Amino acid sequence: MTHIDDKPGGGTAVTVRGLVKHFGATKALDGVDLDVREGTVLGVLGPNGAGKTTLVRCLSTLLTPDAGHATVAGYDVVRQPRQLRRVIGLTGQYASVDEKLSGWENLYLIGRLLDLPRKRARARADELLERFSLTEAARRPAATYSGGMRRRLDLAASMIGHPAVLYLDEPTTGLDPRTRNEVWDEVERMVGEGVTVLLTTQYMEEAEQLASELTVVDRGKVIAHGGIEDLKARVGGRTLRVRPADPAQLRPLAAALDGLGITGLAGTTVDAERGAVLVPVLSDEQLTAVVGAVTAREITLASVTTELPSLDEVFLSLTGHRAGAPQDAVPADTREEVPV
């Protein structure tokens, strides 16, 4: 994490191939492959215990993988850990600041630990406190900070060394919506400055807001990767929102579509508040059948729109779990957070 002016790299900031990590008989990571392009955010999604935090620990040198290979900013995570630590930052699920020290003292101490000269460490602490809107609380003990203030201080601490790659392991867990938005704004600013971010999260909204690409992990394996829209298309299926001109036709329309008997067509849903019938379809042929049924009933339509699955639906389809649901048979030591 020490400040450096020239960083290795060139297109891909993080490369992982076949990464394996065991905890007893359990494979927390089971041959993980992924790439993170420079200056982008890769969102890593998965149920609790899927291996997300273990992956971050391996890539930040807190754990040594049992097999496989990974490079971060051009450095091998096993063979070059000292060099690697100089170009990364890490913010975990829980703030890792010293509560007895003030916000300023926390940042100054980290700067000195990273070999910054005293003058530069003081200036960097002042700079980051202002950037994260903590100047007024700079001399107060961190123990007096709110949860949102501690999270901002933790982010500031991870930025002391001008990292090329930043790991955010569920960084907004437990934050209120306003503070979460503040963290998102700061992450977007970092990426705009060229920082590469690997983000683990269980918030689908957070993934959609920040990530350029997503990797879905389940039981230690990568089960899907791609852009958000690509993953939605991969899951398949669209939802037709069919709105009749006459709201009185809502129930007859729903009954007509439910009676089609098309293989793979799920039941229709009536959205009375918006005056529409929602119809899941899996193919163009099913879409044509829906339109034909409407025409046969001579129902005048006000509109027909098509919606792709939500990211929540994609996650559920890929993993069989809802976001935040625990995974079976994963030892506790793969889920705990290690302060840095």
Side-chain angles (χ1 to χ4, degrees), residues 111-161:
R112 293 294 292 143
L113 290 172
L114 296 177
D115 298 327
L116 294 183
R118 287 184 176 85
K119 183 177 180 180
R120 177 58 184 151
R122 287 194 293 268
R124 186 66 174 151
D126 291 338
E127 174 188 336
L128 288 169
L129 286 166
E130 181 176 359
R131 173 169 174 170
F132 285 86
S133 303
L134 292 170
T135 301
E136 292 185 4
R139 301 297 175 176
R140 283 169 39 195
T144 68
Y145 286 16
S146 67
M149 293 170 68
R150 292 188 195 190
R151 172 56 69 224
R152 295 203 303 275
L153 181 61
D154 208 35
L155 278 170
S158 72
M159 294 298 294
I160 284 284

Side-chain angles (χ1 to χ4, degrees), residues 105-295:
E105 289 169 335
N106 267 283
L107 298 187
Y108 176 76
L109 176 61
I110 292 172
R112 293 294 292 143
L113 290 172
L114 296 177
D115 298 327
L116 294 183
R118 287 184 176 85
K119 183 177 180 180
R120 177 58 184 151
R122 287 194 293 268
R124 186 66 174 151
D126 291 338
E127 174 188 336
L128 288 169
L129 286 166
E130 181 176 359
R131 173 169 174 170
F132 285 86
S133 303
L134 292 170
T135 301
E136 292 185 4
R139 301 297 175 176
R140 283 169 39 195
T144 68
Y145 286 16
S146 67
M149 293 170 68
R150 292 188 195 190
R151 172 56 69 224
R152 295 203 303 275
L153 181 61
D154 208 35
L155 278 170
S158 72
M159 294 298 294
I160 284 284
H162 296 280
V165 177
L166 179 62
Y167 304 120
L168 300 179
D169 189 16
E170 301 191 22
T172 61
T173 296
L175 298 185
D176 61 82
R178 181 183 64 81
T179 305
R180 185 174 298 162
N181 285 331
E182 291 175 354
V183 172
W184 291 353
D185 289 343
E186 193 54 47
V187 173
E188 289 174 338
R189 187 195 309 188
M190 294 174 189
V191 174
E193 295 172 354
V195 177
T196 302
V197 175
L198 190 151
L199 166 74
T200 76
T201 183
Q202 294 181 22
Y203 297 119
M204 299 301 103
E205 183 184 2
E206 183 163 84
E208 291 212 61
Q209 175 74 22
L210 297 176
S212 305
E213 295 182 312
L214 298 176
T215 292
V216 183
V217 179
D218 195 22
R219 300 186 183 278
K221 294 178 178 288
V222 172
I223 61 173
H225 174 81
I228 293 173
E229 297 307 315
D230 293 336
L231 289 178
K232 289 179 178 181
R234 170 178 168 174
V235 168
R238 290 160 287 175
T239 298
L240 294 182
R241 183 178 293 273
V242 185
R243 188 162 66 89
D246 180 2
Q249 294 292 323
L250 268 178
R251 299 295 174 183
L253 175 59
L257 298 179
D258 250 342
L260 288 176
I262 303 173
T263 301
L265 177 60
T268 60
T269 304
V270 175
D271 184 351
E273 183 178 346
R274 298 185 180 181
V277 177
L278 307 183
V279 191
V281 296
L282 300 178
S283 66
D284 291 339
E285 291 75 13
Q286 291 179 0
L287 190 155
T288 301
V290 169
V291 173
V294 173
T295 302

